[in-house]
Amino acid sequence: MPALEPIAAGDQIRRAFGHFPSGVTAVCAEIDGDKVGLAASSFTGVSLEPPLVSVCMQHSSTTWPKLRLATRLGLSVLAEGQDAICGRLASKHGDRFAGTDVTVENDGSLFIDGASLWLDCTIYAELPCGDHDIVVLEVHGTGTGADSPLVFHGSRFRRLAEVEAVPL
């Protein structure tokens, strides 16, 4: 193992985190007739009983304060090929939903069509941690779509590749 370097700057830890691949989610809702959403790559399952997942939201986000007021949130795990959608949802300017097919439920949860997984959620808890809040969401319904999720690794979008199964 190489010698460990003390953390001296934020970009150093960002590069380190880039060595761990993650899926990319869209957290969205329709609020007062407006589509509101953002991209979040810090997504993980938390609990089976009750069914909980988490995402992390930057304190500097101007979108999360709007989304957190929604009755329901649609969480879409983006699929391979939806990198342009992710880019728009991560943008601070422009129409984040331009050219994106969506489904809006009666409760206001908004889902990205063609995603790999859809979760209908409400906020369960928010925990301040550093420059983000860990937002725990309770899952009320699920749906599955595309087999291959969009993967973010090394500051780039990647594709999953199948490997030969190893007997256990």
Side-chain angles (χ1 to χ4, degrees):
M1 183 175 97
L4 298 177
E5 298 177 29
I7 299 297
D11 61 331
Q12 180 184 0
I13 194 72
R14 182 184 305 274
R15 283 191 310 277
F17 288 168
H19 285 269
F20 184 75
S22 66
V24 182
T25 63
V27 181
C28 306
E30 185 175 79
I31 303 169
D32 297 327
D34 293 327
K35 294 177 182 80
V36 181
L38 53 76
S41 62
S42 55
F43 165 77
T44 191
V46 173
S47 169
L48 298 177
E49 194 58 44
L52 302 173
V53 298
S54 70
V55 292
C56 294
M57 301 293 176
Q58 283 184 322
H59 290 164
S60 61
S61 172
T62 58
T63 306
W64 177 241
K66 297 172 192 171
L67 278 173
R68 68 192 308 267
L69 300 176
T71 305
R72 291 279 183 139
L73 296 170
L75 190 143
S76 303
V77 174
L78 297 180
E80 188 175 278
Q82 292 186 316
D83 44 307
I85 294 170
C86 179
R88 285 191 299 275
L89 286 169
S91 175
K92 301 224 184 274
H93 307 289
D95 180 357
R96 291 182 177 180
F97 294 93
T100 302
D101 294 326
V102 300
T103 299
V104 180
E105 297 294 322
N106 291 336
D107 58 17
S109 55
L110 188 152
F111 300 95
I112 305 297
D113 293 354
S116 181
L117 172 67
W118 299 281
L119 301 175
D120 181 36
C121 303
T122 55
I123 297 171
Y124 184 84
E126 291 183 71
L127 308 159
C129 290
D131 58 2
H132 281 66
D133 287 333
I134 299 172
V135 180
V136 180
L137 302 171
E138 183 168 3
V139 179
H140 300 283
T142 69
T144 58
D147 284 338
S148 296
L150 183 62
V151 176
F152 193 68
H153 176 257
S155 298
R156 294 179 25 202
F157 294 113
R158 313 262 184 173
R159 295 179 187 268
L160 294 178
E162 290 189 34
V163 295
E164 188 175 319
V166 177
L168 299 177

